[in-house]
Amino acid sequence: MRAGALAALVLLAAGPAGAVQRVLSFDQCADQYVLALSPRGEIVGLSRRARNADSYLAARAAGVPRLRATAESALAAAPTVVVRYWGGDPRLIAGLARRGVRVLTIYDATDFAGVRVNIRRVAAGLGEAAAGEALIARMDRQLAAAAGAGRGKGALYITSGGDTMGRGTLIDAMLRAAGFTNLAAHAGYGVISLERLVLAPPALVVLGFYDQNMAAYERW
């Protein structure tokens, strides 16, 4: 079937916005918001990575269909709401939006204020504002409990590929919220050398993606 015809079928299947909410997530990041905020009975599909080890709410995804972010999947699921961060072909997203399917896009968050904005945005779009506020309150309680735990000690975040994150990233905000000093002095993303770690080892190393099978193929 030609892509244009298939996209048209998706639009027809979606139909006008109805009273019954049908929520479809297009990527793993969006999965976390949908699983945290949407009633289970309204979730018609999650991403193929919803049950992966690095999916925080993987246990909640059990039994929920896992779909690719394609026209075929959207046709089968017939969502009334699509939640996405990076998933979905731009033409498909635009077509769904034109037809009346609500598309909730999650934006990059570089601090906890940005996280709160995203939670409120998605929660409002799902009609779950109270659940969103409860989730924010839980996060704020955890942040308050963690404040100062690091006592100013230096910490360095490293992925299995040797990447790290400095100023202006959510990882930096997390380290500072826990009372640590981020030893990645650069802004944004960067790469750390093994020589630097040997010559100036940090008090704490925070590992990212080392529990993945793919880590075996990374240079670190």
Side-chain angles (χ1 to χ4, degrees):
M1 181 180 292
R2 294 177 63 86
L6 190 55
L9 284 175
V10 171
L11 300 181
L12 290 173
V20 178
Q21 185 122 286
R22 297 177 59 83
V23 183
L24 176 62
S25 168
F26 267 176
D27 54 70
Q28 189 185 36
C29 295
D31 292 339
Q32 314 311 311
Y33 286 81
V34 170
L35 289 168
L37 298 169
S38 186
R40 176 66 174 261
E42 294 184 354
I43 304 174
V44 297
L46 299 167
S47 80
R48 294 295 294 271
R49 295 174 58 185
R51 292 277 287 164
N52 283 15
D54 59 341
S55 175
Y56 183 68
L57 297 177
R60 296 190 191 180
V64 180
R66 285 175 284 159
L67 311 172
R68 296 185 184 278
T70 63
E72 292 89 343
S73 295
L75 173 62
T80 58
V81 183
V82 167
V83 183
R84 64 181 294 272
Y85 175 46
W86 51 265
D89 179 86
R91 290 188 300 174
L92 175 58
I93 297 301
L96 290 171
R98 285 195 302 270
R99 180 60 178 148
V101 176
R102 287 180 293 128
V103 179
L104 305 177
T105 299
I106 300 165
Y107 299 114
D108 285 326
T110 59
D111 53 29
F112 290 103
V115 173
R116 294 183 189 95
V117 169
N118 275 332
I119 291 174
R120 289 190 171 110
R121 172 181 169 79
V122 176
L126 295 175
E128 298 293 337
E133 293 305 315
L135 183 59
I136 290 171
R138 175 186 171 191
M139 180 182 74
D140 288 342
R141 287 193 301 270
Q142 291 174 324
L143 287 172
R151 300 179 182 179
K153 293 179 180 179
L156 188 66
Y157 171 84
I158 309 174
T159 72
S160 56
D163 302 308
T164 188
M165 297 188 191
R167 299 185 309 276
T169 66
L170 188 55
I171 290 293
D172 179 67
M174 292 167 67
L175 291 175
R176 288 187 289 105
F180 290 96
T181 299
N182 188 356
L183 296 180
H186 56 78
Y189 295 85
V191 177
I192 190 71
S193 70
L194 180 60
E195 290 80 3
R196 176 185 166 184
L197 283 182
V198 172
L199 293 174
L204 175 70
V205 174
V206 181
L207 302 180
F209 303 104
Y210 277 81
D211 57 343
Q212 304 295 301
N213 290 332
M214 61 182 284
Y217 301 97
E218 297 280 11
R219 62 189 183 89
W220 276 81

